[in-house]
Amino acid sequence: MKTVLLSAFLLLYFQNTIAQNYTRRDSLQGGLRPERTSFDVQRYDLNIKVDPDKKFISGYNDITFKVVENTSKIQLDLFENMKIDSIVISNNKVSYKRDNDAVFITFASPLKKGNEEILRFYYSGYPIIAKNAPWDGGFVFTKDSDGKPWIGVAVQGTGASLWYPVKDHQTDEPDRGATIKVAVPNGLMDVSNGRLTGSEDLKNGYTRWDWEVKNPINNYNITLNIADYVHIHDNLDGLDLDYYVLRKNEDKARKQFEEVKPMMECFQSKFGKYPFFEDGYKLVETPYLGMEHQSAVAYGNKYKKGYLGGDLSLSGIGLKFDYIIIHETGHEWFGNSITSKDIADMWIHEGFTTYSETVYVECRFGYEKAMQYITGQQYSVINNKPVIGIFGVNKEGSNDMYYKGALMLNTLRHVVNNDDKWWDLILNYALMYKKDIIDTETVISYFNAKTGMDLTPVFNQYLRYENIPKLQVKLNGSELEYRWQTDVAHFVMPVGLIINNKEVRLKATNNWKTLKTEASGLDKVNLDKSKFYVKLEKL
């Protein structure tokens, strides 16, 4: 009874804490309820006009969906500052009610399970302008050096419903892809996801550019890019490589983007064939730093090596490559192909993608340089809150999801201690969950099965707690005593200690173990930080 009462108290406390920190808007955007789970989106067909001077968009989205359960009501999403002009199904207007950014649509006749429906959602308005894209979601309306409009949008985390009507949850991608048709003033071009299927002069001062995506696509990945672009085309073993850059930057781009081919060769060897081959690969120059927009990767690194000319790893290795090209393209496998069900699990995107940077360094410059690179990332980890966020309220976890996630994976590589097995594990992970939507439990189950080890406590310690594992060591005569100190019970993880300049593999647990040693003092006992992201405490 005490256990039940304590659990009830903790649950009530947890719920109250959530209620204090998260709003109804958060739960409407991040949660799943029957109005969302009763239908499965098959396709989006977006057709809009963008007025750069007014910073205004208008048009409609045709949303094709299958009815999963009989329902009279569904939830779509559109930011409340945007106007709903009308919503139509089978040539009949339907009624709706707005609740924050959620739009609850009620049908006169219930939709029947198994049916496929097409709903046309007309809308217009002035979309939110980002203060600091891509970290602050929204549109960027600016001009190039010739005074011509240069427009982009980035909404990861903020929500795709900032600028178009959509089922704004990561659990549902349009299975049959999307079309994105964007009308812009004559003399400008829109570049969106997938392949260009044509353009049409609308005879009203605007030209519409039509793009089609064959693959499922994350809602936040659907994008537009408007500018006076010049097009550069290349090809790698049948994969179309297309670059759209400001006209004045064509020569810079041709030189800088030479890095794409060795990157693609590396990633395809380690993670499998480019997952969106049918849609091609693009880099699109944007007025913000970058974003992993599927098959239309946003590039704003100003044609510099590193991160705007700096090295985030503090190792010097980061200046050997263009960070934005490598990182954002890594997302094509991790985030765009393999997607988390809830953004609380965004480490599945960012941890693996940040690790892909190290993979690229190893492909190009060797193992030692790769280890220098990832070791340098340790200094950017804060360890102030869990990597995994709060589920159901559109809340990411700590920004440590990037570096701590990558360092955890590098640690696991050296726990496995067999590179053939490790690279086979990573390749098959990318292939097994290709174009799938998963969660942390799925990742853990996969790693456990493939390694034959119970890594659940390891994942939990790195992802669900602030602290990293602490290996405590002490000398008792000729015996070295060692154990893990962790938040997680029954923590078992092999580790390599450097004793008298030689690596000794230990299967450490939370219980003290002993090892005969000739070490004359704890100064002879150290840890290879390039292999294991743990803390060594000498007692």
Side-chain angles (χ1 to χ4, degrees):
M1 178 61 71
K2 287 183 179 179
T3 301
V4 174
L5 289 174
L6 179 59
S7 299
F9 171 79
L10 290 174
L11 178 60
L12 180 62
Y13 173 80
F14 180 74
Q15 290 174 334
N16 287 338
T17 301
I18 294 300
Q20 290 170 9
N21 293 310
Y22 299 104
T23 65
R24 175 169 174 78
R25 178 184 184 276
D26 295 325
S27 61
L28 285 170
Q29 184 176 11
L32 291 172
R33 57 197 59 80
E35 291 89 347
R36 275 182 159 175
T37 59
S38 60
F39 70 105
D40 179 19
V41 175
Q42 300 297 298
R43 184 174 178 84
Y44 291 122
D45 291 288
L46 188 61
N47 192 325
I48 66 171
K49 173 184 173 183
V50 178
D51 186 328
D53 294 330
K54 294 182 179 179
K55 300 179 175 59
F56 186 83
I57 62 178
S58 59
Y60 62 85
N61 190 15
D62 281 339
I63 302 171
T64 303
F65 62 93
K66 285 184 178 178
V67 183
V68 177
E69 296 292 341
N70 294 341
T71 185
S72 297
K73 183 190 291 187
I74 65 171
Q75 177 188 340
L76 292 172
D77 306 279
L78 182 67
F79 270 38
E80 59 185 339
N81 65 296
M82 301 295 286
K83 178 186 176 184
I84 299 174
D85 296 316
S86 64
I87 303 174
V88 177
I89 190 168
S90 300
N91 296 317
N92 296 311
K93 288 186 178 181
V94 294
S95 61
Y96 60 87
K97 181 180 180 181
R98 307 197 77 164
D99 186 345
N100 292 276
D101 299 333
V103 182
F104 290 97
I105 301 167
T106 303
F107 302 97
S109 300
L111 304 181
K112 300 296 183 182
K113 179 179 178 179
N115 285 359
E116 184 166 290
E117 308 284 352
I118 301 176
L119 179 149
R120 177 166 289 191
F121 195 128
Y122 290 95
Y123 74 108
S124 58
Y126 301 90
I128 291 172
I129 296 175
K131 295 181 178 67
N132 187 27
W135 300 277
D136 171 66
F139 266 73
V140 178
F141 289 95
T142 188
K143 295 182 183 294
D144 65 19
S145 60
D146 294 322
K148 296 181 179 180
W150 187 17
I151 301 168
V153 63
V155 293
Q156 184 184 20
T158 306
S161 51
L162 179 145
W163 71 282
Y164 72 95
V166 60
K167 181 179 179 180
D168 206 356
H169 198 276
Q170 286 185 184
T171 54
D172 198 357
E173 300 177 356
D175 301 79
R176 303 202 299 264
T179 56
I180 306 103
K181 300 180 179 181
V182 182
V184 299
N186 293 341
L188 299 176
M189 181 181 190
D190 168 65
V191 181
S192 291
N193 315 82
R195 294 186 182 275
L196 182 65
T197 59
S199 62
E200 181 181 351
D201 187 341
L202 301 180
K203 309 300 182 183
N204 61 356
Y206 280 74
T207 298
R208 193 188 70 218
W209 300 85
D210 300 349
W211 297 84
E212 182 172 15
V213 180
K214 297 288 188 182
N215 286 280
I217 183 170
N218 294 343
N219 299 325
Y220 69 82
N221 271 328
I222 292 177
T223 194
L224 56 78
N225 302 277
I226 300 167
D228 178 21
Y229 284 122
V230 62
H231 176 211
I232 303 168
H233 176 73
D234 205 344
N235 188 279
L236 175 66
D237 300 327
L239 173 63
D240 285 317
L241 308 174
D242 291 288
Y243 313 129
Y244 291 86
V245 301
L246 296 183
R247 194 167 296 279
K248 67 175 183 178
N249 291 333
E250 180 177 358
D251 291 341
K252 290 181 182 178
R254 287 184 181 276
K255 182 178 180 180
Q256 191 79 356
F257 295 169
E258 288 176 358
E259 190 157 34
V260 168
K261 286 186 177 181
M263 172 195 65
M264 277 293 179
E265 289 170 344
C266 172
F267 284 173
Q268 291 191 122
S269 71
K270 298 297 187 182
F271 312 139
K273 181 179 176 181
Y274 177 69
F276 308 110
F277 202 90
E278 304 88 343
D279 295 320
Y281 170 83
K282 294 194 294 295
L283 286 175
V284 188
E285 188 172 3
T286 54
Y288 57 90
L289 184 62
M291 181 55 65
E292 63 265 26
H293 295 140
Q294 183 175 309
S295 70
V297 173
Y299 176 83
N301 204 36
K302 302 184 185 300
Y303 304 98
K304 295 180 179 181
K305 295 292 187 180
Y307 180 98
L308 292 173
D311 180 11
L312 294 178
S313 77
L314 306 177
S315 67
I317 309 301
L319 296 176
K320 290 180 172 290
F321 61 93
D322 188 316
Y323 172 90
I324 291 298
I325 294 176
I326 306 307
H327 180 89
E328 303 303 350
T329 303
H331 272 303
E332 292 282 48
W333 283 266
F334 306 113
N336 299 349
S337 177
I338 300 176
T339 304
S340 67
K341 292 179 180 178
D342 191 296
I343 70 169
D345 267 341
M346 282 292 284
W347 79 270
I348 294 173
H349 298 206
E350 300 300 350
F352 278 92
T353 297
T354 302
Y355 183 64
S356 76
E357 300 163 25
T358 296
V359 173
Y360 175 71
V361 172
E362 186 164 346
C363 284
R364 294 292 308 279
F365 309 112
Y367 173 82
E368 295 300 327
K369 291 288 192 294
M371 293 305 101
Q372 290 176 38
Y373 180 77
I374 198 165
T375 302
Q377 293 180 342
Q378 295 184 17
Y379 304 106
S380 298
V381 181
I382 301 173
N383 286 322
N384 63 337
K385 61 180 181 179
V387 166
I388 292 178
I390 306 299
F391 291 87
V393 290
N394 200 51
K395 178 63 176 178
E396 298 175 1
S398 165
N399 278 338
D400 283 348
M401 71 177 82
Y402 292 83
Y403 299 127
K404 191 173 183 178
L407 287 159
M408 178 188 70
L409 291 171
N410 185 58
T411 298
L412 289 173
R413 174 186 182 176
H414 294 97
V415 166
V416 171
N417 201 31
N418 181 321
D419 274 356
D420 289 340
K421 187 174 183 178
W422 174 254
W423 293 121
D424 182 67
L425 181 154
I426 291 296
L427 174 62
N428 282 294
Y429 170 76
L431 294 176
M432 179 174 290
Y433 299 108
K434 181 178 179 180
K435 302 177 189 177
D436 202 353
I437 301 172
I438 65 173
D439 54 22
T440 293
E441 287 69 27
T442 303
V443 179
I444 295 173
S445 295
Y446 172 84
F447 273 72
N448 285 347
K450 290 297 182 181
T451 63
M453 304 166 67
D454 181 9
L455 296 171
T456 304
V458 179
F459 278 96
N460 286 342
Q461 182 63 49
Y462 282 97
L463 300 176
R464 303 184 192 279
Y465 294 89
E466 298 174 12
N467 302 310
I468 60 175
K470 180 190 294 182
L471 185 67
Q472 295 181 318
V473 296
K474 58 185 178 180
L475 272 177
N476 185 5
S478 63
E479 290 187 335
L480 177 73
E481 299 183 32
Y482 60 92
R483 73 171 181 185
W484 288 118
Q485 186 180 69
T486 56
D487 299 287
V488 176
H490 310 298
F491 187 88
V492 180
M493 188 175 84
V495 65
L497 269 186
I498 308 298
I499 303 176
N500 290 337
N501 297 317
K502 292 183 180 180
E503 184 176 87
V504 179
R505 297 281 296 187
L506 305 174
K507 188 174 182 181
T509 70
N510 292 126
N511 299 317
W512 286 106
K513 292 187 175 184
T514 61
L515 173 73
K516 291 288 186 180
T517 179
E518 297 179 359
S520 57
L522 287 178
D523 61 316
K524 302 296 184 181
V525 179
N526 293 292
L527 183 75
D528 188 343
K529 291 185 178 181
S530 72
K531 293 182 178 180
F532 299 96
Y533 181 54
V534 302
K535 183 176 181 180
L536 180 63
E537 183 178 49
K538 300 177 182 181
L539 302 176

